[in-house]
């Protein structure tokens, strides 16, 4: 019997600006944000043929492994493609969990694409986006994995010309897990005062005054010590710093190669990209 192994590296995303615009009739919220991919990755390995198994290493993944989004992605495709074989799945977690970096969503989206490729299912990108939306609001972004302005629950995406390759990024995760439902409960939806879609295309040096995240205030109110992260990023020379998603990771954007190291509390995880 010939065994096939495929390994992919799901990457994280950051939110540049995030506004909760309104509460929708379906119970979700109408959002607007800009998604930007960054090269902090997990590792996802699939071995076939095999029996359906799932294992993890690296950062501990909380909850029942049967509910992991990688398995949910396999089951979702299995419903429409009954001949999809069982596989052994191994996920090595490196992207912090509950950090606003979309690691779980990335794993699910990459799983969909890997199964489609390995077993030649012939699923179009448009169809993959539909499957991904069933797994989570952030999942469709990782199918395209390009800078975009996103609305709806985050699944309605418009590609934008945003190239930040001339900058360096510092991601700081303080180890505080922010529950997304709790974060939304602390927000009063409102239309943003400034146009994110326009301001994101202005020079990065202007973003400090124009690009905001609605979740930052309630998270810092509940965890005031985290405010020091943003302050330190600016003190070290960041031209823009903000919380990503519903938190609790913060991102600082620095001039390229101008940040070799940065000291935070020893319990924090710091990634320089």
């Amino acid at each position: 019997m010939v065994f096939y192994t495929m390994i992919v590296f799901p990457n994280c995303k950051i939110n540049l600006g995030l506004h909760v615009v309104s509460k929708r009739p379906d119970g979700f919220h109408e959002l607007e944000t800009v998604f930007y991919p960054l090269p902090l990755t997990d590792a996802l390995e699939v071995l076939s043929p095999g029996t359906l198994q799932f294992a993890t290493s690296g950062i501990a993944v909380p909850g029942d492994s049967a509910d992991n989004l990688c398995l949910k992605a396999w089951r979702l495709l299995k419903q429409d493609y009954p001949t999809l074989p069982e596989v052994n799945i191994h996920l090595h977690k490196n992207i912090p969990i509950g950090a606003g970096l979309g690691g779980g969503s990335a794993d699910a989206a990459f799983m969909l694409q890997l199964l489609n490729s390995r077993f030649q299912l012939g699923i179009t990108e448009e169809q993959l986006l539909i499957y991904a939306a069933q797994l989570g609001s952030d999942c469709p972004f990782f199918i395209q994995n390009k800078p975009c302005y996103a609305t709806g629950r985050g699944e309605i995406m418009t590609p934008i010309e945003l190239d930040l390759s001339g900058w360096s990024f510092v991601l700081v995760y303080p180890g505080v897990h922010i529950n997304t439902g709790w974060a939304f409960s602390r927000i009063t939806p409102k239309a943003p005062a400034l146009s994110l879609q326009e301001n994101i295309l202005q020079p990065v040096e202007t973003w400090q005054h124009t690009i905001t995240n609605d979740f930052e205030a309630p998270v810092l109110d509940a965890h005031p010590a985290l405010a020091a992260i943003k302050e330190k990023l600016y003190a070290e020379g960041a031209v823009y710093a903000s919380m990503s998603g519903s938190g609790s990771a913060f991102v600082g954007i620095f001039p390229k190669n101008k940040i070799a190291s940065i000291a935070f509390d020893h319990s924090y995880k710091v990634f320089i990209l």
Side-chain angles (χ1 to χ4, degrees):
M1 182 179 294
V2 178
F3 287 89
Y4 296 91
T5 300
M6 290 190 66
I7 300 177
V8 292
F9 299 92
N11 59 276
C12 78
K13 58 80 181 168
I14 54 172
N15 294 80
L16 298 169
L18 176 54
H19 301 135
V20 183
V21 178
S22 63
K23 184 73 175 289
R24 294 160 39 136
D26 61 6
F28 291 98
H29 289 82
E30 190 74 20
L31 309 175
E32 73 160 2
T33 189
V34 169
F35 290 128
Y36 194 87
L38 285 181
L40 174 64
T41 69
D42 291 336
L44 176 62
E45 179 184 39
V46 169
L47 175 68
S48 68
T51 56
L52 187 62
Q53 298 180 36
F54 178 77
T56 64
S57 57
I59 297 172
V61 179
D64 188 342
S65 62
D67 295 327
N68 188 272
L69 285 172
C70 292
L71 279 175
K72 288 185 176 181
W74 182 88
R75 294 189 183 106
L76 186 63
L77 293 187
K78 181 69 172 179
Q79 292 175 3
D80 292 342
Y81 297 86
T83 60
L84 182 68
E86 295 188 348
V87 293
N88 292 347
I89 306 165
H90 182 265
L91 175 64
H92 181 79
K93 284 298 296 179
N94 183 50
I95 301 171
I97 297 168
L101 299 175
S105 296
D107 297 336
F110 274 65
M111 184 69 179
L112 290 174
Q113 294 177 100
L114 186 155
L115 294 172
N116 184 40
S117 172
R118 167 67 188 89
F119 298 108
Q120 301 179 348
L121 301 179
I123 306 173
T124 66
E125 182 177 284
E126 183 178 0
Q127 291 171 313
L128 284 172
L129 289 169
I130 294 171
Y131 281 121
Q134 296 177 61
L135 295 170
S137 298
D138 288 351
C139 287
F141 165 72
F142 292 101
I143 299 297
Q144 297 181 336
N145 219 5
K146 297 177 181 179
C148 67
Y149 171 74
T151 56
R153 292 186 296 143
E155 83 284 9
I156 303 171
M157 296 174 291
T158 302
I160 59 174
E161 295 295 327
L162 181 61
D163 181 5
L164 299 178
S165 60
W167 299 88
S168 292
F169 296 82
V170 176
L171 295 182
V172 183
Y173 176 57
V176 176
H177 187 288
I178 302 298
N179 180 276
T180 302
W182 172 89
F184 271 104
S185 73
R186 298 300 190 272
I187 296 287
T188 300
K190 63 182 182 302
L194 300 173
S195 170
L196 175 60
Q197 196 169 15
E198 293 178 5
N199 287 325
I200 199 67
L201 300 179
Q202 302 305 309
V204 178
E205 293 87 347
T206 69
W207 291 358
Q208 181 178 354
H209 307 291
T210 60
I211 306 295
T212 59
N213 180 345
D214 287 351
F215 288 102
E216 195 170 296
V219 169
L220 293 185
D221 184 58
H223 304 277
L226 302 188
I229 298 175
K230 185 173 181 178
E231 294 169 3
K232 187 171 184 62
L233 289 169
Y234 276 125
E236 293 286 344
V239 297
Y240 176 74
S242 177
M243 195 175 74
S244 181
S246 57
S248 61
F250 281 76
V251 58
I253 302 179
F254 290 79
K256 192 72 170 179
N257 300 324
K258 294 296 184 182
I259 184 77
S261 64
I262 185 167
F264 282 94
D265 184 292
H266 67 87
S267 66
Y268 292 2
K269 291 185 179 294
V270 180
F271 307 90
I272 299 177
L273 306 169

